[in-house]
């Protein structure tokens, strides 16, 4: 296996980690309106991700940085062609972080309500747009012979990509509801379980339609296996929710996300960004990669730093592993 193939796999792993972690993170943000009944319950939901949400976003920064270093042509075409949706996502992530930090800085009702609206919308919009973006990457976009995107923003809003956006939105919200059931106690925990049971079948139908469409268009045996794993894991997650086994349900919903993202990358390989105008103009792991020497240096750096980062983040989740409820929220909030 060549180093550019290795880095394609590593970037896929980074996106799997990001969607697994930021997936329930976005889901909790959406649930602040769908699940919480009052400000104290919204505070409970926010507190479940309070110690970890910023660490979860590091996976996105790492995935972007790795793409820039390992596949500069892919990075350049992707970020120039998808400039507007990626700018919207970036703006949402900035406002979302500010909302988490500023919401409780003042006690006025209007102040806190406005930041709560911001948390909801800046969680929902990226959850939708990430699916649209990856749908377009897998489907292929208008790339010319100079490796430049020559389409428009409206070309990105095609049925396949929009279905992908609905899948990520529903899947992340389901993942968040399961996480809320795992991390809370009392009435909010029970309502999170009931909401997950309602979201599960809708998510399953949309996800199955999207994955089958992907398999028919660009799939192979590897992507078919990943699709089966994703489907079985999602059904298992729903069954675990019904049985009140939040830990198993969260693990299985995480497997669903991991297998679904893996399927997209398997369906994409050896391309990194297919051209819908001419197959010969597609960006591949070969023509979009950096030099072998650059990839070699990156591999050594990643081999040293990655285990340390994983250990630190795992330790963070262990420290903040306990459940919380409204009884843990001070009246001042």
């Amino acid at each position: 296996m060549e180093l550019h193939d290795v880095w394609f796999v590593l970037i896929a792993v980074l996106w799997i980690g990001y969607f697994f972690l930021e997936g329930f993170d976005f889901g909790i943000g959406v649930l602040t309106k769908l699940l919480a009944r009052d400000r104290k319950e919204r505070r409970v939901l926010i507190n479940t991700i309070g110690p970890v949400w910023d660490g979860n976003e590091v996976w996105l920064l790492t995935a972007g940085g790795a793409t820039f270093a390992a596949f500069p042509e892919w990075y350049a075409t992707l970020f120039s062609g998808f400039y507007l949706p990626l700018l919207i996502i970036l703006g949402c992530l900035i406002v979302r972080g500010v909302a988490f930090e500023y919401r409780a800085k003042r006690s006025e009702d209007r102040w806190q309500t406005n930041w709560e609206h911001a948390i909801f919308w800046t969680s929902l919009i990226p959850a939708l747009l990430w699916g649209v973006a990856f749908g377009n990457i897998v489907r292929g976009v208008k790339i010319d012979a100079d490796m430049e995107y020559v389409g428009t923003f409206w070309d990105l809003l095609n049925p396949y990509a929009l279905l992908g956006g609905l899948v990520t939105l529903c899947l992340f919200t389901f993942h968040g509801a399961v996480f809320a059931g795992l991390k809370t106690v009392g009435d909010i925990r029970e309502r999170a379980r009931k909401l997950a049971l309602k979201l599960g079948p809708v998510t399953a139908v949309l996800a199955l339609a999207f994955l089958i469409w992907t398999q028919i268009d660009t799939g192979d045996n590897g992507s078919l296996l990943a699709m089966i794993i994703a489907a079985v894991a999602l059904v298992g997650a729903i069954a675990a929710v019904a049985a009140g086994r939040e830990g198993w349900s969260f693990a299985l919903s995480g497997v669903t996300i991991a297998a679904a993202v893996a399927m997209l990358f398997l369906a994409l390989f050896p391309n990194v960004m297919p051209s819908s105008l001419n197959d010969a103009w597609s960006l591949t792991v070969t023509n979009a990669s950096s030099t072998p020497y650059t990839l070699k240096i990156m591999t050594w750096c990643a081999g040293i730093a990655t285990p340390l980062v994983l250990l630190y983040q795992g330790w963070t989740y262990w420290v903040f592993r306990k459940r919380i409820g409204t009884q843990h929220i001070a009246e001042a909030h």
Side-chain angles (χ1 to χ4, degrees), residues 228-279:
I228 293 172
I229 293 173
V232 172
L234 183 54
V235 172
I238 297 171
V241 170
R245 303 295 298 272
E246 291 100 342
W248 278 104
S249 181
F250 181 70
L252 288 170
S253 66
V255 171
T256 301
I257 293 174
V261 177
M263 179 194 175
L264 296 181
F265 276 90
L266 286 168
L268 187 60
F269 187 82
N271 295 321
V272 294
M273 206 165 178
S275 171
S276 60
L277 300 178
N278 189 327
D279 288 341

Side-chain angles (χ1 to χ4, degrees), residues 4-318:
H4 51 64
D5 297 329
V6 172
W7 273 97
F8 180 85
V9 173
L10 291 176
I11 288 172
V13 170
L14 289 171
W15 280 108
I16 288 172
Y18 174 66
F19 285 141
F20 173 78
L21 296 172
E22 192 81 328
F24 70 75
D25 203 321
F26 286 142
I28 290 294
V30 173
L31 292 176
T32 57
K33 293 293 184 183
L34 301 184
L35 180 63
R37 290 177 174 173
D38 54 33
R39 180 149 292 142
K40 183 173 283 191
E41 289 191 350
R42 281 191 286 275
R43 187 64 199 178
V44 169
L45 291 177
I46 293 171
N47 280 7
T48 63
I49 60 172
V52 298
W53 68 266
D54 48 356
N56 295 344
E57 292 185 356
V58 171
W59 287 78
L60 172 62
L61 300 177
T62 308
T67 304
F68 172 77
F71 299 98
E73 294 289 352
W74 183 13
Y75 182 92
T77 304
L78 176 64
F79 277 76
S80 60
F82 291 23
Y83 181 81
L84 182 56
L86 291 177
L87 180 62
I88 294 172
I89 291 174
L90 177 61
C92 286
L93 295 179
I94 292 172
V95 173
R96 187 168 180 264
V98 174
F100 282 138
E101 298 297 334
Y102 275 45
R103 174 190 169 276
K105 295 299 183 182
R106 289 168 56 179
S107 60
E108 291 90 338
D109 182 75
R110 184 175 179 180
W111 171 272
Q112 297 197 3
T113 298
N114 288 338
W115 286 120
E116 288 164 2
H117 288 318
I119 290 172
F120 172 76
W121 287 109
T122 56
S123 299
L124 185 149
I125 293 172
L128 177 70
L129 289 183
W130 278 128
V132 174
F134 269 83
N136 278 291
I137 291 173
V138 175
R139 173 179 175 267
V141 292
K142 295 179 179 179
I143 299 174
D144 64 11
D146 297 322
M147 297 185 179
E148 294 182 1
Y149 177 72
V150 293
T152 67
F153 170 76
W154 303 109
D155 292 328
L156 303 177
L157 303 180
N158 55 81
Y160 175 78
L162 291 174
L163 177 59
L166 290 176
V167 170
T168 52
L169 175 59
C170 291
L171 185 56
F172 291 169
T173 307
F174 172 77
H175 196 41
V178 172
F179 182 75
L182 179 67
K183 288 289 292 179
T184 59
V185 294
D187 182 56
I188 193 170
R189 175 187 177 188
E190 181 62 23
R191 281 187 281 116
R193 187 183 71 84
K194 291 179 179 178
L195 181 59
L197 285 175
K198 293 178 181 178
L199 288 171
V202 176
T203 303
V205 170
L206 292 173
L208 190 60
F210 179 73
L211 295 180
I212 290 176
W213 192 344
T214 304
Q215 181 64 27
I216 292 173
D217 274 358
T218 58
D220 55 15
N221 291 336
S223 61
L224 177 61
L225 177 61
M227 183 186 76
I228 293 172
I229 293 173
V232 172
L234 183 54
V235 172
I238 297 171
V241 170
R245 303 295 298 272
E246 291 100 342
W248 278 104
S249 181
F250 181 70
L252 288 170
S253 66
V255 171
T256 301
I257 293 174
V261 177
M263 179 194 175
L264 296 181
F265 276 90
L266 286 168
L268 187 60
F269 187 82
N271 295 321
V272 294
M273 206 165 178
S275 171
S276 60
L277 300 178
N278 189 327
D279 288 341
W281 297 343
S282 295
L283 276 67
T284 69
V285 293
T286 303
N287 65 20
S289 68
S290 293
T291 64
Y293 181 75
T294 300
L295 297 177
K296 184 177 180 180
I297 296 298
M298 289 176 60
T299 303
W300 278 104
C301 293
I304 296 171
T306 302
L308 299 176
V309 173
L310 291 176
L311 285 172
Y312 173 76
Q313 192 162 26
W315 175 77
T316 302
Y317 276 91
W318 174 255

